[in-house]
Amino acid sequence: MSKSRGCAVVVGASMGGLLAARVLSEHFERVTLVERDMLPAQGEHRRGVPQSKHAHGLLSSGCMVLERLLPGFVSDMLMRGARPADVLADAHWVVHGLRIASTVSGVRSLLCQRPVLESYVRERVLALPNVSMLEGFAATALSGNYDRVTGVQVESRAGSESMLAAELVVDATGRGSRLPRWLATLGHEPPSDERIEVELGYASALYRRTPSMMGGRDVCVIAAAPPNPRSGVALAVDAEHVMVTLCGALRDHPGATHEAMRAFARSLPAPDLFELLSSAEPVSTPTAIKFPCSKRMRYENARAAPAGVIAFGDALCSFNPVYGQGMAVAALQAELLAKLLSGTPTDLPRRFYAGAARIIDGAWTLSAGADLSFAEVRGTRTAITRVMQRYFARIVRAASTDPQVACRLIRVLQLVDPPSALLRPGMLLRVWWCGAARVPVPLLASRSAESLHR
Ligand SMILES: Cc1cc2nc3c(=O)[nH]c(=O)nc-3n(C[C@H](O)[C@H](O)[C@H](O)COP(=O)(O)OP(=O)(O)OC[C@H]3O[C@@H](n4cnc5c(N)ncnc54)[C@H](O)[C@@H]3O)c2cc1C
């Protein structure tokens, strides 16, 4: 394919930046990734992505996009030890204190550790002949004027500065993005933002996997349900290891020791993770991270957007991580960018922000809606938020007894279908019919009521 454009620069070489670079490589002569970190060997953690030490679920929609952008992705990842999973049949889901009905959903994804995923994607993207990486360089400013960005200024670790000219700069520097400040120096007002102050704390550790763990399944998700802001997840990230991540919102954080994690797991709405942690052999020291708020930058509403620069991935919207949406939404943005670039967009930033807003809306409705069901979480609630929360509670009740509702719910949570799929007539009828009953969470077969109080 002939490339009609000159150089593009992508700042930030995490999942968002890598996927943007993959797409840009088809439309630009040269694509340069600029990354502040020195990049580690395959599968290792690095400073710029501290979240990589915690469970990273790749939603099914993200997995499908990765396969489309990097053909062979799934089979290659399986060769590297990732585990395939039907997100319903291979998982235990406890939502609002109810166990979701289990059935083969056909909605599939991969389980692995985040550094394994990122280093695979990095390898594939850097194998493209026109993509290169400038590692150990931080972007510090933009060049250009009010109407057009023409490049980005970078600084090496030794402090030397240089300017990279670019027809397009993609800011994929994550939730700490300085793009609003950089744009201000060109005369632009900062975009408005929306925050949901979840005040989340995570603690995670790896444990040795045994075949009987989680009743032989590979995933366990126990969601927070008001008034209990605690949740947890266990993912079999390869044949030998399970990653357990515990989360507490509203400053009710888990401690980062095995003992504290076990005590925290005991207070979750279902006993599965407490049971797992009571017998599992730890293979790593627990690690903690804090996440103050979900943050959505409303570039789509800005009065003007200069040509030649876009915000991407977490720089555009950083979701509450418990819903596992960030990587999938970045992947969907990459496909949007590909679609826009294959036409002749006259106003790329505006059209990208408008399309990205539609992608983000779906994911944000789900995660923000769930977070705002806690009265103490600060954020904007509308009448629609409240109606949707009540309807969602009813869907969950129906999904605990009706496998078809469970499948449709899981497709929406995995961002395969939009939230509006939950409002289709057939679904409304099933939810109305089944959603009235409240079914308690059954204990695991291996667990007696007394052992809870030990
Ligand atoms: C605790 C936690 C758990 C999460 N769990 C999940 C999950 O289960 N599933 C999921 O899909 N998502 C999850 N996420 C979100 C996911 O990690 C991100 O959505 C994903 O990495 C895409 O983000 P990004 O590439 O836009 O930004 P980031 O991953 O934040 O990467 C930003 C990159 O930019 C670099 N950088 C920053 N500033 C500069 C600069 N000035 N110059 C050059 N380089 C710079 C950084 O070093 C880094 O490499 C989680 C996030 C957190 C915090």
Side-chain angles (χ1 to χ4, degrees), residues 12 14 16 35-36 46 48 51 55-57 114 138-139 173-174 314 321 324 326-327:
S14 172
E35 171 54 52
R36 194 167 50 187
R46 63 187 177 88
Q51 68 267 35
H56 254 71
R114 161 69 194 242
T173 57
D314 280 20
M327 296 190 295

Side-chain angles (χ1 to χ4, degrees), residues 11-17 34-37 46 48-49 51 54-58 114 137-140 172-175 182 202 289 291 312-315 321 324-328 330:
V11 187
S14 172
M15 287 298 287
V34 176
E35 171 54 52
R36 194 167 50 187
D37 279 355
R46 63 187 177 88
V49 185
Q51 68 267 35
H54 302 271
H56 254 71
L58 175 62
R114 161 69 194 242
F137 280 79
T140 53
T173 57
R175 62 180 276 123
W182 296 344
Y202 263 45
I289 193 168
F291 181 91
F312 195 92
D314 280 20
Q325 298 170 322
M327 296 190 295

Side-chain angles (χ1 to χ4, degrees), residues 145-206:
N145 55 37
Y146 183 84
D147 295 319
R148 169 168 288 281
V149 166
T150 54
V152 59
Q153 184 171 310
V154 297
E155 188 179 305
S156 74
R157 297 188 152 207
S160 67
E161 289 184 343
S162 42
M163 185 62 75
L164 300 177
E167 274 177 52
L168 179 65
V169 175
V170 175
D171 171 31
T173 57
R175 62 180 276 123
S177 160
R178 296 194 175 168
L179 185 59
R181 269 188 257 171
W182 296 344
L183 289 176
T185 65
L186 303 179
H188 287 273
E189 280 175 22
S192 59
D193 66 23
E194 204 174 314
R195 289 169 194 241
I196 299 190
E197 315 227 355
V198 284
E199 302 180 280
L200 198 71
Y202 263 45
S204 303
L206 273 179

